[in-house]
Amino acid sequence: MGHVVDIGKPVNYTGGLEFSSLTYRVTKKIKDENGKWLSQEVDLLHQITGYAPKGCITAVMGPSGAGKSTLLDGLAGRIASGSLRGKVSMGGLDMNPSLIKGSSAYIMQDDRLFPMLTVYETFMFAADFRLGSLSRTEKQEKVERLIEQLGLSSTRNTYIGDEGTRGVSGGERRRVSIGVDIIHGPSLLFLDEPTSGLDSTSAHSVIEKVHDIARSGSTVILTIHQPSHRIQLLLDHLIILARGQLMYQGAPNDVSHHLVRMGRKVPKNESSIEHLIDVIQQYDQSELGVEAVAAFALTGMKPPPIGAAAHEMSASTVLPSPARPSHRAKHQVLEAQGRDKSSKRLRLQTHAQDDTGFDHSVRSPWNTSKSWSASRSGVLQSIGFSPARRNDHRSPSFSPGCYAYSTEIVQSTPTPHSSDYTVNENDYLTPNDFSHDINHSFHDLGPKFANSFFSETWILMRRNFINIMRTPELFLSRLVVLSAMGIMMATMFLHPKENLQGITNRLSFFIFTCTLFFFSSNDAVPAFIQERFVFIRETSHNKYRASSYTIAGLVTYLPFLALQAAVYAVIVWFALSLRGPFIYFLVILFMSLLSTNSFVIFVSSVVPNYILGYAAVIAFTALFFLFCGYFLSSNDMPNYWKWMNYVSTMTYPYEGLLMNQYQTNESFGKDPLGRDVTGFGILKSLNISLDPTKKWEKVYIMLGWAVFYRILFYIALRLFSNNQRK
C-alpha cells in the first residue's frame, strides 16, 4: 500500500519544538453508586510525544475535551512545576518553563487589552516593555512595520474599544493581541483558539497573518476548533488528540491516506480532517473507545470495525461489568490482534502489509528513525522519533519551508537517538536542573526582563496616567461624591451646641468622615479585577516585574488621592471651624485614603470576581467600624476582642482626628451638672492619649498598614496570578 509523491526539496523538522511522553494527571472527585465522593486520578494528557516544525503552523485539533489547551499549556510552560511529566526540547536541548517563557509568546483566547489606548499606543508600550535596548526611533520603525504586516494601517489611531467604547473590529483586536506578543520576534508562538468568536473572513485573515509569521522563521503552535476549508489550507502540521491521547500527527495531506489504511474512505466533498475526527468520536462512543485509534496511530495495529467490537470483546476479554469496558480491557482487545508479534521491537517496513492485519506501511510518516519500539503490555507512545538524549546537544540546521506530505521529511536528518535506542522511562522525567552546557547554550536568550526595574516602573506609570486621563470616571466620581458629602456634612454639623449632645454630634462627624473615606475606595474592586487579566497576560512571559507594577500603581494614584483628601478637607475645615493644625487634618485624611485603598486593592487581588470582592470589602468595613472605638472604647472591649481594635484601619484616623481637635484645655460644652467639658476630658473618657507627640504615631501606623497591604498585594500577584495549572 504505497504512497508515492514528488516530494521536491526535503524539509528538516528538527529546528522546531520536540516533546516526549508528556503526561498530566489530575485528581477528580466522583460519586460512586452509593453517592459517596471518591478521588480518581485522570490523565488529561497521556504519554504524548511529537514535534512542531520550525517555520510551520502546527495545529492541535480534536473533539471537545480532547486536551488541546492542556497540551498547549504544557508546551508553553503554563503547568505548575511537578504537575507535568515528560520532556520538552528545542534543537536537541532540554527546555524548562523559564527558558520556554523567555523565548516564546502565548496568545490567550480572550483579548485582554486596555480599551482606551490606540492600536499604535498599544504596540509602542509593548515595544517599550520588550525592546528596552533599542532607541525610540528604532522602536517606532519596528512598530510601523508590524502594523503594516498585520494589516492594521487603517486602524492605527483607533481606540481598542470595549462594550462601552466603539473601537476596532473583533478580527483587528485579535491581530493586535497577536502583535503585542510578537513584537520582540519570539522563536515560539502559542495561540489558544485564535479564531474563537470571529466570523469566517476575520478568522481567515488572522490565520493568514499567523501563517506569515510562521514563514518568517517562528515555530507556531495553535489550537483550533472546526477550521474552515480555507484555514485548513494554511495549516502545515496536525496533532489530533482525543481524551488526552494522540490520534494522528503529520501533514494535513496525509489524513486521507491515514483513513484509508484504517479501512475508512473519505466521503466525497467532505474534509478528511473532519471525517477523521468523526471516526474518532464514533470509536469513543463504541465499546472499543479511542484507544483503538491511538493504537493504530502508534503501532500500526488496524482497529477492528466498530460493528465487530462486541464480538471481539467477548472473544478475547472478560468485561469487568455490563457497562463500558475498562481501559485495560480495551487494550486486551487490541493486544489480541497482534499476539504473534512476541518481539519487544517491531521492525516496520515502509510499503508492506502481511496477512495478519498489521499494516506495516503505517510506520509513522513523520518518523525519521529506521525503527521504533513498542511495548507488548500496552501502547508505546513514541511518536515517530525517539526522545532526545540528555547528553546530545546538537542543533541541526533547518531548511526554510514546510512539507506538503509527511514523506517529505528528510530521512537522514540527525536524530538525538539512533534507530536501535530503546525508550527508557528516565528519559521522560522532567529534569529538575540542567547541566552547565545546556544553560550556557541559551545565553543568547538574554536577561529575564528587557528593562531595569526603574524603566519598567516609568513605562507603567506613563500608561497608567494615560488610562486615567482617558477614563476619568473612576476618580471624578470619587471627587464628586467626596465634594457633595463634604458640603452636606459642613451644613449638617454647622454650629454644634455647647453641651454633651453637641460633643456627640461632633464625634459622629469624625467617625462618618472615616467611614466615608473607606467606602469611597470600594469602586477600586471591579477596576483592578478587570486590569488583573491584562497583568496576567503581560507577565506570563516576563514583560515586566510584579514589583514594578505594584510600585507604579501606588505612585500613579498618589496625586489623585491627595486631591480628593484636599477638596474634602478645605470644604469641611473652614465651614465647621475645626481646631488644630490644618496640615495634620489633611495628612490624616490622605493617609486614611491611602491605607484603605491599599486594603481594597489587596482584597481585589485574592478574590475571583468583583461580586465576592464587594462582599469581602463591605464585611471588613463593618468589622473595622465596629471595633474602631466609637461604639466601645478599647478599655470597655472584652479582652478577647481588643486585638480587633488594633487591626481596624479606622481606629487610627478616628483617633488622629479626635486628638487634633481635642488636645486642649478649652471647653467644648457643659455637662448636666454645669461643669466644663474640656478637650482633654473628652479624650480621657475615650481612652485616647493626651500626649501631643502621639498624634504623628497615628500617621506612621497608617503608613505602615498601607505598606503592609501593598506587600500582601505584591505577594498575591506572585502567588495567585501566575496563570498556571496546578
Side-chain angles (χ1 to χ4, degrees):
M1 183 181 257
H3 183 66
V4 181
V5 295
D6 181 12
I7 64 175
K9 186 177 181 179
V11 174
N12 180 345
Y13 73 84
T14 53
L17 192 70
E18 304 173 16
F19 43 96
S20 305
S21 199
L22 295 183
T23 299
Y24 180 44
R25 181 167 297 173
V26 298
T27 302
K28 290 186 176 182
K29 295 288 186 180
I30 60 171
K31 279 187 177 181
D32 62 8
E33 297 176 352
N34 299 323
K36 294 182 179 180
W37 287 99
L38 302 175
S39 297
Q40 182 183 42
E41 289 189 339
V42 178
D43 284 352
L44 299 186
L45 294 177
H46 182 70
Q47 297 285 306
I48 303 295
T49 302
Y51 67 94
K54 181 180 180 182
C56 304
I57 294 181
T58 297
V60 183
M61 301 177 64
S64 297
K68 302 184 294 293
S69 295
T70 305
L71 176 61
L72 195 72
D73 287 345
L75 296 177
R78 292 160 62 88
I79 294 181
S81 178
S83 300
L84 180 72
R85 294 178 65 84
K87 185 165 65 174
V88 179
S89 61
M90 191 172 178
L93 301 177
D94 292 341
M95 299 284 284
N96 62 16
S98 297
L99 292 176
I100 291 176
K101 289 182 178 181
S103 59
S104 67
Y106 188 101
I107 315 300
M108 296 182 179
Q109 186 171 343
D110 298 324
D111 301 318
R112 302 295 185 179
L113 302 167
F114 286 103
M116 296 311 295
L117 294 180
T118 66
V119 171
Y120 176 77
E121 289 171 338
T122 301
F123 283 147
M124 278 305 300
F125 278 116
D128 287 336
F129 286 125
R130 291 294 195 183
L131 309 174
S133 59
L134 297 184
S135 65
R136 187 72 177 174
T137 303
E138 290 174 318
K139 292 177 183 176
Q140 290 173 341
E141 292 174 353
K142 194 172 184 67
V143 166
E144 294 292 355
R145 288 197 301 269
L146 183 60
I147 289 176
E148 184 177 354
Q149 178 187 2
L150 295 174
L152 295 168
S153 299
S154 61
T155 59
R156 179 182 183 278
N157 297 314
T158 305
Y159 288 141
I160 299 298
D162 57 9
E163 296 83 359
T165 305
R166 186 175 179 83
V168 297
S169 66
E172 290 167 340
R173 185 181 293 110
R174 187 62 50 85
R175 278 179 270 160
V176 174
S177 294
I178 295 172
V180 296
D181 283 317
I182 67 169
I183 196 166
H184 61 301
S187 57
L188 288 170
L189 180 61
F190 302 97
L191 302 100
D192 187 17
E193 297 281 0
T195 61
S196 176
L198 301 180
D199 59 80
S200 177
T201 301
S202 298
H204 179 262
S205 176
V206 168
I207 299 300
E208 201 171 34
K209 299 305 178 184
V210 173
H211 183 269
D212 294 339
I213 294 169
R215 288 299 184 265
S216 66
S218 296
T219 300
V220 178
I221 307 174
L222 58 84
T223 61
I224 192 166
H225 189 66
Q226 292 183 332
S228 65
H229 177 69
R230 291 194 302 167
I231 290 179
Q232 290 181 23
L233 295 177
L234 296 173
L235 306 179
D236 303 306
H237 184 69
L238 295 182
I239 297 175
I240 298 180
L241 305 176
R243 295 194 179 273
Q245 300 183 66
L246 187 63
M247 302 290 108
Y248 174 82
Q249 180 173 210
N253 290 340
D254 278 340
V255 175
S256 297
H257 189 55
H258 183 79
L259 284 165
V260 170
R261 293 197 298 265
M262 287 180 62
R264 296 284 187 140
K265 186 177 180 181
V266 181
K268 190 176 180 180
N269 298 325
E270 184 173 336
S271 166
S272 59
I273 298 175
E274 292 180 0
H275 186 64
L276 175 57
I277 294 177
D278 289 341
V279 170
I280 292 170
Q281 289 181 311
Q282 290 172 13
Y283 273 93
D284 186 34
Q285 296 168 5
S286 72
E287 297 293 326
L288 291 172
V290 297
E291 288 78 6
V293 185
F296 172 69
L298 303 174
T299 66
M301 291 185 292
K302 186 176 294 184
I306 293 178
H311 173 72
E312 293 284 351
M313 294 298 295
S314 61
S316 60
T317 64
V318 177
L319 296 181
S321 68
R324 179 172 172 169
S326 66
H327 182 82
R328 181 177 180 181
K330 294 173 187 175
H331 277 294
Q332 290 175 341
V333 176
L334 302 174
E335 291 178 45
Q337 299 181 30
R339 284 175 179 166
D340 58 326
K341 306 289 189 285
S342 57
S343 172
K344 276 191 174 182
R345 300 189 57 78
L346 303 175
R347 295 286 175 173
L348 306 180
Q349 304 301 321
T350 306
H351 302 297
Q353 184 173 359
D354 59 21
D355 57 0
T356 63
F358 188 95
D359 185 1
H360 289 276
S361 68
V362 80
R363 170 183 168 258
S364 192
W366 24 260
N367 182 14
T368 60
S369 303
K370 303 253 188 216
S371 65
W372 47 285
S373 57
S375 169
R376 288 189 63 198
S377 61
V379 178
L380 177 64
Q381 302 266 1
S382 90
I383 312 300
F385 67 93
S386 300
R389 284 181 180 174
R390 298 178 189 274
N391 59 358
D392 192 323
H393 301 153
R394 292 172 292 177
S395 181
S397 61
F398 173 75
S399 301
C402 285
Y403 60 93
Y405 292 91
S406 299
T407 51
E408 295 181 38
I409 295 178
V410 182
Q411 295 299 319
S412 59
T413 298
T415 57
H417 284 168
S418 69
S419 60
D420 295 325
Y421 179 77
T422 302
V423 177
N424 189 325
E425 182 182 359
N426 292 331
D427 288 328
Y428 301 146
L429 300 179
T430 302
N432 293 324
D433 51 14
F434 298 88
S435 67
H436 171 74
D437 292 338
I438 291 177
N439 285 326
H440 181 71
S441 299
F442 283 91
H443 69 278
D444 57 322
L445 290 178
K448 185 176 182 180
F449 300 99
N451 298 286
S452 66
F453 169 82
F454 295 104
S455 297
E456 287 177 356
T457 304
W458 173 244
I459 296 169
L460 287 166
M461 287 174 58
R462 287 194 294 112
R463 189 175 69 176
N464 289 343
F465 188 77
I466 292 175
N467 283 322
I468 291 172
M469 297 305 294
R470 292 182 183 171
T471 54
E473 297 85 3
L474 180 61
F475 284 97
L476 279 181
S477 61
R478 293 183 189 178
L479 193 60
V480 169
V481 168
L482 288 175
S483 300
M485 293 304 300
I487 294 172
M488 293 177 63
M489 298 282 283
T491 53
M492 181 178 295
F493 292 97
L494 193 64
H495 306 304
K497 297 179 181 179
E498 294 187 357
N499 55 23
L500 293 182
Q501 184 60 48
I503 295 173
T504 301
N505 293 343
R506 184 54 56 93
L507 295 179
S508 300
F509 161 76
F510 287 125
I511 190 59
F512 187 84
T513 295
C514 296
T515 307
L516 173 65
F517 273 52
F518 202 106
F519 275 112
S520 69
S521 298
N522 286 9
D523 52 7
V525 174
F528 172 75
I529 288 178
Q530 184 179 8
E531 187 176 319
R532 182 174 62 186
F533 295 109
V534 180
F535 168 83
I536 292 173
R537 179 184 65 79
E538 293 183 331
T539 56
S540 61
H541 283 255
N542 306 329
K543 213 171 216 183
Y544 50 79
R545 301 167 178 84
S547 56
S548 59
Y549 177 82
T550 303
I551 298 300
L554 173 63
V555 176
T556 303
Y557 297 134
L558 286 180
F560 296 96
L561 297 178
L563 178 62
Q564 294 169 25
V567 169
Y568 182 86
V570 169
I571 293 174
V572 301
W573 175 268
F574 297 101
L576 298 180
S577 300
L578 301 178
R579 68 166 305 278
F582 173 78
I583 188 64
Y584 181 84
F585 182 76
L586 176 61
V587 169
I588 283 288
L589 295 182
F590 171 72
M591 293 306 303
S592 177
L593 273 177
L594 180 60
S595 59
T596 54
N597 179 265
S598 299
F599 172 76
V600 171
I601 289 293
F602 162 64
V603 172
S604 303
S605 66
V606 296
V607 295
N609 54 65
Y610 71 90
I611 297 177
L612 289 179
Y614 271 134
V617 170
I618 291 173
F620 278 105
T621 301
L623 286 175
F624 291 165
F625 186 28
L626 177 62
F627 291 97
C628 69
Y630 175 74
F631 298 100
L632 285 176
S633 68
S634 57
N635 278 348
D636 297 330
M637 291 182 187
N639 290 331
Y640 48 83
W641 282 121
K642 283 187 177 181
W643 62 275
M644 279 296 298
N645 179 254
Y646 298 102
V647 171
S648 172
T649 54
M650 285 190 195
T651 299
Y652 307 102
Y654 175 61
E655 292 184 354
L657 292 175
L658 294 185
M659 292 169 73
N660 193 52
Q661 177 71 16
Y662 293 120
Q663 278 189 345
T664 177
N665 271 322
E666 294 180 15
S667 175
F668 289 87
K670 304 281 187 180
D671 63 12
L673 299 178
R675 294 174 297 187
D676 289 333
V677 179
T678 65
F680 284 129
I682 296 172
L683 295 179
K684 188 174 182 180
S685 65
L686 297 174
N687 195 36
I688 297 176
S689 175
L690 308 181
D691 186 356
T693 61
K694 296 291 185 180
K695 288 200 307 183
W696 288 99
E697 282 189 7
K698 307 302 178 184
V699 175
Y700 301 145
I701 293 174
M702 284 190 287
L703 178 61
W705 277 116
V707 172
F708 175 71
Y709 285 129
R710 290 286 171 172
I711 292 174
L712 291 181
F713 171 65
Y714 167 74
I715 294 173
L717 290 181
R718 293 296 303 270
L719 295 181
F720 303 117
S721 299
N722 54 12
N723 203 33
Q724 284 189 329
R725 297 174 184 246
K726 302 300 182 183

